[in-house]
């Protein structure tokens, strides 16, 4: 970023000595400059555009950004001036923070790095800038609402035609609607429920607030079997109406059947006594640990660690295994967790009876780097430890009565915590309101120890707190 600013003349080379300590501070410094330079343009044009770019998960043209934000371009002088200000902002002020690509549709723009999006999604991280971070978060939610309206087909006679939506809309509309608290409304439309992949709705079901929307997604979950994606839209609606009757969701069933008067037969009532859970089968031995794994494509997967020495990834909405098993451990796998790196990547960390800790890329199912070795006995627990400087460390608990801290980006052992007198079986990060992160550990010695971490120039240290 800084080199780009120097190259484009937006920062003097000698100014690097005054850079903020962290990337988040650098972003906030830039935003203060933009907001203070022209408050009116910042509020009316620049902030909505930046928030929209942060909310979108694909590149967009200037025309599309103008349409989404409501700054519609016509052919009069005023709108041409707005278009000029938008393109100037995208190509000059925001240039260091965007990837710009020339396509047949024109120049398209996208946020360069996930860390800029994180600035909008986590309003309570920086207590020193509560007003600004809250402003960014509210603008981000407004952008999601604008994107939702932009992607949703217009209603004609209270009906929407979902047959011609593009792939981006199919995959991400439910996410945008959830962030904008608009998913409840979409979830009452059977056309929407059967036009987008079921998992895009189900992964956002915790944001629903109305009983009808929750009931509709419950029927969708049961109807969306392994053949759901290969069925025609009409066939999906038939089975959704069947499952609506089975779950006593008569409003949804009626909404579906009234749009299909050509159906000669429909279900009027049905009884169902089954169970709503799904069984994920594949492991050949006991499962010891489970963790939720955010996937780059927007899904949330399940990682399971087993005595069969493998870790497996599953899609909870389809009950299908994702990719091949993660193999490398030579003994039972006891622990699994998610590690978020400063560069935006997500890794899986596992600990095993073979005394190793291993890192995995969930997109390739491949091990990342060599195993982290040092514990002489089985590793029973693994936990991510976020640090205020942006790094995420790994804490591992072992049979050797110690807890070790590691840097996952380098595989370096940073510190060993001693205090337990028997094997350590559990470890967890404990974030405090003042910004500190404590470490809590539990052992076979019947003790729970709480540690205060401190960052030093040469590594990380810890001391036991009472």
């Amino acid at each position: 970023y800084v080199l780009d600013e120097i190259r484009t003349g937006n920062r003097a080379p000698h100014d690097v000595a005054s850079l903020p300590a962290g990337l988040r501070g650098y972003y906030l410094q830039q935003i203060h400059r933009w907001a203070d330079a022209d408050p009116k343009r910042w509020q009316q044009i620049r902030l909505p555009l930046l928030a929209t770019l942060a909310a979108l998960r694909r590149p967009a043209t200037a025309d599309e950004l103008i349409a989404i934000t409501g700054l519609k371009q016509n052919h009069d002088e005023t709108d041409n001036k707005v278009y000029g200000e938008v393109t100037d902002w995208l190509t000059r002020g925001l240039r260091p923070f965007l990837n710009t690509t020339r396509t047949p549709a024109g120049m398209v723009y996208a946020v360069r790095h996930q860390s800029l999006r994180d600035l909008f999604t986590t309003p309570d991280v920086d207590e020193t800038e509560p007003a600004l971070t809250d402003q960014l978060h509210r603008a981000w939610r407004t952008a999601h609402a604008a994107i939702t309206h932009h992607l949703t087909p217009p209603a004609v006679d209270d009906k929407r035609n979902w047959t011609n939506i593009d792939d981006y809309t199919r995959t991400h509309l439910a996410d945008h609607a959830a962030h904008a608290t608009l998913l409840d409304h979409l979830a009452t439309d059977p056309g929407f429920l059967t036009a987008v992949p079921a998992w895009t709705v189900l992964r956002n079901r915790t944001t629903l607030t109305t009983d009808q929307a929750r009931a509709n997604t419950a029927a969708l979950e049961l109807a969306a079997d392994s053949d759901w994606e290969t069925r025609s839209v009409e066939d999906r609606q038939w089975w959704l109406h069947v499952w609506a009757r089975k779950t006593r969701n008569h409003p949804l069933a009626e909404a579906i059947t009234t749009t299909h008067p050509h159906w000669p037969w429909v279900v009027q009532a049905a009884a169902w006594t089954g169970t709503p859970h799904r069984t994920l089968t594949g492991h050949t031995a006991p499962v010891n640990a489970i963790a939720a794994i955010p996937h780059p494509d927007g899904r949330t997967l399940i990682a399971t660690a087993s005595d069969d020495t493998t870790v497996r990834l599953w899609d909870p909405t389809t009950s299908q295994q994702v990719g091949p098993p993660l193999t490398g451990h030579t003994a039972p796998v006891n622990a699994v967790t998610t590690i978020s790196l400063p560069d935006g990547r997500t890794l899986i960390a596992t600990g095993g009876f073979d005394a190793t800790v291993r890192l995995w890329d969930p997109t390739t199912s491949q091990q990342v780097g060599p195993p982290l070795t040092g514990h002489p006995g089985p590793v029973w627990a693994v936990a991510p430890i976020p640090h205020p400087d942006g790094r995420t460390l790994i804490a591992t608990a072992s049979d050797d009565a110690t807890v070790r801290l590691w840097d996952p980006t380098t595989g370096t052992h940073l510190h060993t915590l001693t205090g337990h007198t028997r094997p350590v079986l559990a470890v967890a990060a404990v974030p405090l309101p003042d910004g500190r992160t404590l470490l809590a550990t539990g052992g076979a010695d019947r003790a729970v120890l709480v540690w205060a971490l401190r960052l030093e120039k040469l590594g990380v240290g810890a001391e036991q707190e009472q």
Side-chain angles (χ1 to χ4, degrees):
Y1 288 149
V2 174
L3 290 177
D4 258 355
E5 285 187 305
I6 294 173
R7 189 179 299 115
T8 57
N10 292 322
R11 184 185 290 273
H14 61 77
D15 191 40
V16 297
S18 62
L19 287 171
L23 183 58
R24 186 177 180 86
Y26 172 77
Y27 285 138
L28 293 174
Q29 182 187 75
Q30 295 298 316
I31 290 171
H32 272 300
R33 289 176 177 173
W34 295 329
D36 295 342
D38 195 328
K40 183 177 180 180
R41 279 193 175 90
W42 170 250
Q43 288 289 344
Q44 295 181 351
I45 298 177
R46 295 178 176 179
L47 176 58
L49 286 170
L50 181 57
T52 301
L53 286 165
L56 278 171
R57 309 302 297 190
R58 62 164 171 81
T61 65
D63 286 330
E64 187 175 14
L65 291 170
I66 290 172
I68 291 172
T69 55
L71 305 171
K72 294 189 178 297
Q73 178 195 11
N74 296 317
H75 297 288
D76 58 76
E77 182 179 351
T78 301
D79 285 333
N80 284 335
K81 182 179 179 181
V82 169
Y83 181 79
E85 289 187 6
V86 168
T87 54
D88 182 70
W89 172 236
L90 294 172
T91 56
R92 293 175 61 85
L94 279 180
R95 174 66 184 83
F97 306 94
L98 303 180
N99 285 328
T100 305
T101 308
R102 185 178 299 277
T103 70
M107 300 299 293
V108 294
Y109 307 91
V111 168
R112 175 178 291 183
H113 197 270
Q114 178 63 33
S115 56
L116 182 55
R117 289 191 175 96
D118 293 341
L119 194 70
F120 288 80
T121 60
T122 52
D124 56 349
V125 170
D126 194 336
E127 295 183 354
T128 64
E129 296 277 5
L132 181 57
T133 52
D134 181 66
Q135 179 191 59
L136 296 178
H137 187 66
R138 285 187 285 108
W140 178 76
R141 295 179 70 91
T142 300
H144 278 292
I147 294 168
T148 300
H149 292 307
H150 180 74
L151 297 178
T152 302
V156 178
D157 296 330
D158 295 327
K159 297 180 181 178
R160 302 185 188 276
N161 182 359
W162 293 94
T163 58
N164 296 320
I165 59 176
D166 59 21
D167 288 340
Y168 180 85
T169 302
R170 293 182 197 280
T171 306
H172 295 285
L173 177 56
D175 298 327
H176 291 303
H179 290 309
T181 64
L182 296 173
L183 186 57
D184 284 88
H185 178 69
L186 289 178
T188 61
D189 186 338
F192 166 77
L193 294 175
T194 51
V196 303
W199 57 265
T200 67
V201 179
L202 297 176
R203 71 183 176 190
N204 290 296
R205 67 195 307 174
T206 58
T207 67
L208 298 173
T209 60
T210 66
D211 291 339
Q212 187 61 54
R214 294 193 188 104
N216 288 5
T217 56
L220 176 65
E221 181 180 25
L222 293 165
D225 58 13
S226 58
D227 297 324
W228 183 256
E229 297 298 329
T230 62
R231 298 182 189 276
S232 67
V233 170
E234 184 168 348
D235 198 24
R236 293 180 197 173
Q237 294 191 355
W238 169 263
W239 285 108
L240 183 59
H241 120 269
V242 170
W243 277 100
R245 291 297 191 194
K246 287 185 177 183
T247 56
R248 307 294 194 272
N249 186 349
H250 300 301
L252 175 59
E254 295 295 338
I256 296 173
T257 56
T258 54
T259 61
H260 294 283
H262 62 282
W263 284 352
W265 297 90
V266 294
V267 176
Q268 295 295 330
W272 176 62
T273 58
T275 56
H277 66 263
R278 299 166 183 252
T279 302
L280 312 181
T281 58
H283 284 295
T284 58
V287 176
N288 299 317
I290 300 177
I293 308 295
H295 198 272
D297 66 7
R299 292 180 294 170
T300 298
L301 305 182
I302 298 173
T304 55
S306 171
D307 266 6
D308 63 11
T309 75
T310 71
V311 175
R312 297 172 187 260
L313 300 180
W314 313 83
D315 186 327
T317 62
T318 65
S319 303
Q320 299 299 309
Q321 187 172 317
V322 178
L326 312 185
T327 57
H329 282 286
T330 59
V333 188
N334 302 322
V336 60
T337 192
T338 303
I339 303 294
S340 299
L341 300 184
D343 62 7
R345 291 185 299 155
T346 296
L347 300 182
I348 300 171
T350 59
F353 204 83
D354 57 5
T356 70
V357 176
R358 298 172 189 261
L359 301 177
W360 313 82
D361 185 334
T363 62
T364 64
S365 299
Q366 297 297 311
Q367 188 171 317
V368 178
L372 310 184
T373 58
H375 285 296
V379 177
W380 295 113
V382 180
I385 310 296
H387 199 278
D389 70 355
R391 288 189 295 169
T392 298
L393 309 181
I394 299 176
T396 58
S398 172
D399 212 57
D400 61 10
T402 71
V403 174
R404 293 179 181 244
L405 301 179
W406 312 79
D407 185 339
T409 60
T410 63
T412 305
H413 170 231
L414 301 174
H415 196 74
T416 300
L417 282 58
T418 58
H420 284 283
T421 58
R422 295 191 64 191
V424 187
L425 305 176
V427 60
V430 184
L432 299 183
D434 62 7
R436 292 186 302 152
T437 297
L438 303 181
L439 188 66
T441 59
D445 55 4
R446 303 182 182 180
V448 174
L449 304 184
V450 180
W451 311 81
L453 304 180
R454 61 179 186 275
L455 185 67
E456 298 174 343
K457 291 184 178 179
L458 299 179
V460 175
E463 58 187 12
Q464 188 176 335
E465 284 201 346
Q466 298 298 321

